[in-house]
Amino acid sequence: MKISEIITAIEDVAPLSLQEKYDNSGLQIGNKKNDVTGVLLCIDVTEDVIDEAVENGINLVISHHPLLFKGLKSITGKNYIERTVIKAIRNEITVYAAHTNLDNAFGGVNYKIAEELGLGDISVLSPADEKLLKLVTFVPETNSTKVREALFAAGAGRIGNYDRCSYNMSGYGTFRAGEGADPYCGEIGQEHHEEEERIEVLFPAYLKDVILKRLFEAHCYEEPAYDITKIENKWKGVGSGVVGELLSPMDETDFLEMVKNVFHCGVIKHSNLLGGKVQRVALCGGAGAFLLPAAISSGADAFITGEIGYHDYFSTEEQILLVDAGHYETEQYTKDIFCDIITKKFPNFAVRYTKVGTNPVNYL
């Protein structure tokens, strides 16, 4: 099996197009055409993680945080990033990262955290925008069902909890086939009128190539007519953070203890207790304080994330309980997501979790 097959399985769940503009997810080091000898999962890539991969005959390391986040102007070994790069290349270790694309994906990091906390009725806290396209195509009525089915099968027509969504309108098209054409209907050199359906469907931008391929395969015309338009609609299926409901309200202190236990925290930070119950919970793994306004607007009783600044605690005006459970701690379940993706796709393939403690933050 090739490394590329593992990468494809991950990107089917977390397409690179979902990453934030500042991010650098994807293949970091190595050749994805190589055969894979094993996979080592981690949150951060360090020299010790590369050593562990070498010792265990593993040539693919998959991390949540990109090793190469900013450009390198030289590689001399002057810091841990450069030394890790050198060691990975020297030992032919491929390094791949799925960061904010996995954060933003449906079923990604934040969904996993919500699952661990026992939340239900989960929705995206800040839905992504400018990630959807609309396809309009014109098809003879006799061919319209086949085209719709092909587009639906390729992932088009999904809106929230609904699928197979399309808009269809009857009309007629005109064309004249020129010399060298092979028309499905009509005659060379003669203008032709054909009863057609206009089909409109939405789809994620990252599926564009697949959608067009399926359209061309299913469409009966030699030259299918179609338009693709970028739309500004928010895509409620993906985005930053999630919000959900506990099965029943909890006292604030009990809720904080639960968070501490779920994330295996030695300590957590929190804002002043508000004297109420917690049932609606917003969350974002890692550095999610930028979502605080969205958490308040969602009506959440509490907001959990991995980094909250000092002044953020003042800004809430006691509208919500803030919980800082640690950056590493809130993203630790990323390894489980990677494992689930790989083992479901390749049931007999061995996956290893790193035994190296890569959390740089310690508590006394």
Side-chain angles (χ1 to χ4, degrees), residues 294-305:
I296 293 173
S297 296
S298 74
D301 304 305
F303 177 53
I304 305 169
T305 189

Side-chain angles (χ1 to χ4, degrees), residues 13-14 18 20 22 64 98-127 237-245 262-263 281-291 303-306 326-327 329-335 337:
V13 174
L18 295 184
E20 301 295 337
Y22 62 80
H64 183 45
H99 188 211
T100 55
N101 54 319
L102 190 61
D103 291 338
N104 291 337
F106 178 81
V109 177
N110 297 308
Y111 283 86
K112 181 65 175 176
I113 296 172
E115 176 187 324
E116 294 294 328
L117 289 168
L119 301 184
D121 193 21
I122 300 167
S123 60
V124 175
L125 183 59
S126 179
V238 301
S240 303
V242 299
V243 59
E245 304 278 341
V262 166
F263 293 114
V281 179
L283 61 87
C284 179
F290 70 97
L291 289 172
F303 177 53
I304 305 169
T305 189
H327 194 123
E329 287 80 3
T330 56
E331 294 187 329
Q332 62 186 285
Y333 295 111
T334 306
K335 292 176 287 185
I337 299 173

Side-chain angles (χ1 to χ4, degrees), residues 218-267:
H219 206 296
C220 61
Y221 282 171
E222 183 181 20
E223 296 287 348
Y226 67 93
D227 302 323
I228 291 180
T229 307
K230 186 175 182 179
I231 61 176
E232 296 183 355
N233 302 42
K234 288 188 178 296
W235 184 9
K236 294 182 180 180
V238 301
S240 303
V242 299
V243 59
E245 304 278 341
L246 291 168
L247 187 61
S248 57
M250 299 181 67
D251 290 330
E252 290 171 315
T253 52
D254 293 337
F255 173 74
L256 292 172
E257 285 293 339
M258 181 190 71
V259 171
K260 189 175 179 180
N261 291 333
V262 166
F263 293 114
H264 311 293
C265 302
V267 63

Side-chain angles (χ1 to χ4, degrees), residues 93-260:
I93 304 296
T94 297
V95 177
Y96 180 89
H99 188 211
T100 55
N101 54 319
L102 190 61
D103 291 338
N104 291 337
F106 178 81
V109 177
N110 297 308
Y111 283 86
K112 181 65 175 176
I113 296 172
E115 176 187 324
E116 294 294 328
L117 289 168
L119 301 184
D121 193 21
I122 300 167
S123 60
V124 175
L125 183 59
S126 179
D129 54 19
E130 298 186 0
K131 298 289 187 181
L132 292 172
L133 300 176
K134 180 168 72 173
L135 169 71
V136 177
T137 189
F138 305 88
V139 189
E141 291 180 343
T142 55
N143 186 224
S144 61
T145 298
K146 181 179 180 181
V147 169
R148 268 192 300 273
E149 291 297 327
L151 295 174
F152 293 155
R158 294 175 182 170
I159 303 175
N161 294 325
Y162 298 83
D163 64 1
R164 303 176 64 83
C165 302
S166 68
Y167 181 76
N168 306 274
M169 180 185 298
S170 296
Y172 71 90
T174 67
F175 58 83
R176 182 171 64 184
E179 293 296 330
D182 182 20
Y184 170 77
C185 49
E187 302 294 332
I188 299 287
Q190 296 182 12
E191 183 172 324
H192 178 76
H193 290 232
E194 183 70 23
E195 297 297 321
E196 295 180 335
E197 283 191 30
R198 173 189 173 110
I199 300 174
E200 300 184 17
V201 288
L202 299 182
F203 64 92
Y206 71 88
L207 289 178
K208 179 180 176 180
D209 291 343
V210 175
I211 295 293
L212 288 179
K213 184 174 186 292
R214 297 292 181 263
L215 171 65
F216 297 153
E217 290 173 348
H219 206 296
C220 61
Y221 282 171
E222 183 181 20
E223 296 287 348
Y226 67 93
D227 302 323
I228 291 180
T229 307
K230 186 175 182 179
I231 61 176
E232 296 183 355
N233 302 42
K234 288 188 178 296
W235 184 9
K236 294 182 180 180
V238 301
S240 303
V242 299
V243 59
E245 304 278 341
L246 291 168
L247 187 61
S248 57
M250 299 181 67
D251 290 330
E252 290 171 315
T253 52
D254 293 337
F255 173 74
L256 292 172
E257 285 293 339
M258 181 190 71
V259 171
K260 189 175 179 180

